[in-house]
Amino acid sequence: FTDSLDVLKMGDSIFKGAYKKNTYSFVNQLSYDLMNRRVIDPFRLHIDLQHTASMAKISASFNYRFTISRKYYFEARAFAGTFVAGSTANRYYYAFRPDGYNGSDDYLFDYNYMARNESQGFGYSQFTERDGNMKVPVLFGNSPEWMASLNLKSPRIFILPVKIFADLVFCDPKVLLKDQVLWDAGINITILSEMLEVYVPLAYSNDIARTLDLNNISFANRIRFTLNIHKLVARNFIKDNFIGQ
């Protein structure tokens, strides 16, 4: 896969900014998936290795669904990733994100976005559950070193399509502010299972709250959603959203 990296090179440094030129790099990717869609306690393991001429990184995520009954289950996801080659400047474009991917973060163009290049507004609120997978937007913490996270979702509340979520993210302290651990919690509204979901963050760590306030990010703009068109498989879509309810 070929991706374009907009940079201006000056000496040994790389700067992102208004004056940019396109350089091109090849991203070699090797992935391994182990999935079991059994009715009781299904799981998925995903291992991903990415390599370019200037960096290499490896990551793994593990999703597990603890079945309580046919209609109720508890979801857990664990993620860990690290860079194994490349300078900090070369890694930063490919850094691990604490709050998943929006359109501009998706350098492999793996996902579909309503507004890939927006930096504000409704389209910017769409994200993909990758890396740290926090649901509140995080304006700092992109790590060119390492990252680990734990993401939890409760069973739905009675018959409502509503769950409680909580996230913990650990990463290289050099990209953090005062808080050494990032966290958030709130309400998850499922419209179409694993495809269209809305996340309403209600509580989060102090540094996240402070940076959102300083940048005048309103409560409405802190609400985010996923739209995973790439997961549209007719058999699974009907099973997850109609038969299994």
Side-chain angles (χ1 to χ4, degrees):
F1 180 87
T2 304
D3 72 304
S4 63
L5 173 58
D6 292 335
V7 299
L8 174 66
K9 293 187 177 181
M10 301 178 62
D12 296 329
S13 301
I14 298 179
F15 300 91
K16 294 184 178 180
Y19 301 98
K20 299 182 287 186
K21 68 178 181 179
N22 287 334
T23 61
Y24 297 91
S25 63
F26 290 93
V27 180
N28 303 306
Q29 184 178 32
L30 178 64
S31 298
Y32 172 77
D33 278 285
L34 176 63
M35 183 181 299
N36 190 322
R37 289 184 62 88
R38 61 195 181 190
V39 175
I40 299 176
D41 298 344
F43 65 84
R44 181 194 180 200
L45 171 67
H46 177 75
I47 300 174
D48 186 68
L49 173 64
Q50 296 181 18
H51 169 267
T52 72
S54 58
M55 73 89 199
K57 70 176 184 178
I58 187 170
S59 62
S61 61
F62 183 67
N63 295 71
Y64 199 93
R65 181 177 291 182
F66 297 89
T67 303
I68 299 173
S69 68
R70 185 173 67 87
K71 296 183 179 181
Y72 296 92
Y73 47 84
F74 181 87
E75 297 174 81
R77 173 186 180 270
F79 169 85
T82 185
F83 282 84
V84 294
S87 67
T88 299
N90 290 331
R91 294 173 179 178
Y92 200 83
Y93 180 70
Y94 309 95
F96 296 111
R97 270 70 175 177
D99 57 345
Y101 284 7
N102 59 32
S104 60
D105 297 325
D106 181 26
Y107 54 85
L108 292 180
F109 295 88
D110 282 337
Y111 308 105
N112 299 296
Y113 293 91
M114 298 173 57
R116 179 174 290 275
N117 296 315
E118 279 193 14
S119 58
Q120 58 184 353
F122 178 75
Y124 183 70
S125 297
Q126 180 187 354
F127 79 108
T128 304
E129 298 182 61
R130 290 289 306 266
D131 295 356
N133 194 23
M134 298 187 73
K135 312 309 184 295
V136 65
V138 182
L139 306 182
F140 62 95
N142 292 350
S143 176
E145 297 293 338
W146 62 272
M147 182 171 289
S149 70
L150 178 64
N151 315 108
L152 305 173
K153 285 186 188 178
S154 74
R156 67 183 187 180
I157 301 173
F158 304 112
I159 62 173
L160 301 175
V162 176
K163 302 176 183 179
I164 304 299
F165 72 82
D167 306 302
L168 284 173
V169 169
F170 308 85
C171 63
D172 179 20
K174 292 192 293 292
V175 300
L176 298 176
L177 301 178
K178 293 182 179 180
D179 297 331
Q180 296 303 296
V181 177
L182 303 179
W183 63 269
D184 68 357
I187 296 173
N188 165 220
I189 303 170
T190 301
I191 299 174
L192 294 173
S193 180
E194 296 189 1
M195 283 192 57
L196 181 56
E197 303 195 37
V198 177
Y199 294 91
V200 184
L202 298 178
Y204 23 85
S205 51
N206 290 332
D207 284 343
I208 295 176
R210 189 177 302 112
T211 54
L212 291 174
D213 290 340
L214 288 173
N215 286 273
N216 298 315
I217 307 298
S218 67
F219 177 77
N221 289 327
R222 301 178 192 191
I223 299 172
R224 304 171 82 200
F225 67 94
T226 58
L227 181 60
N228 298 316
I229 301 298
H230 63 282
K231 291 187 177 182
L232 182 56
V233 178
R235 181 182 62 181
N236 295 339
F237 175 77
I238 294 172
K239 177 183 176 183
D240 293 340
N241 292 282
F242 300 101
I243 297 176
Q245 299 299 312

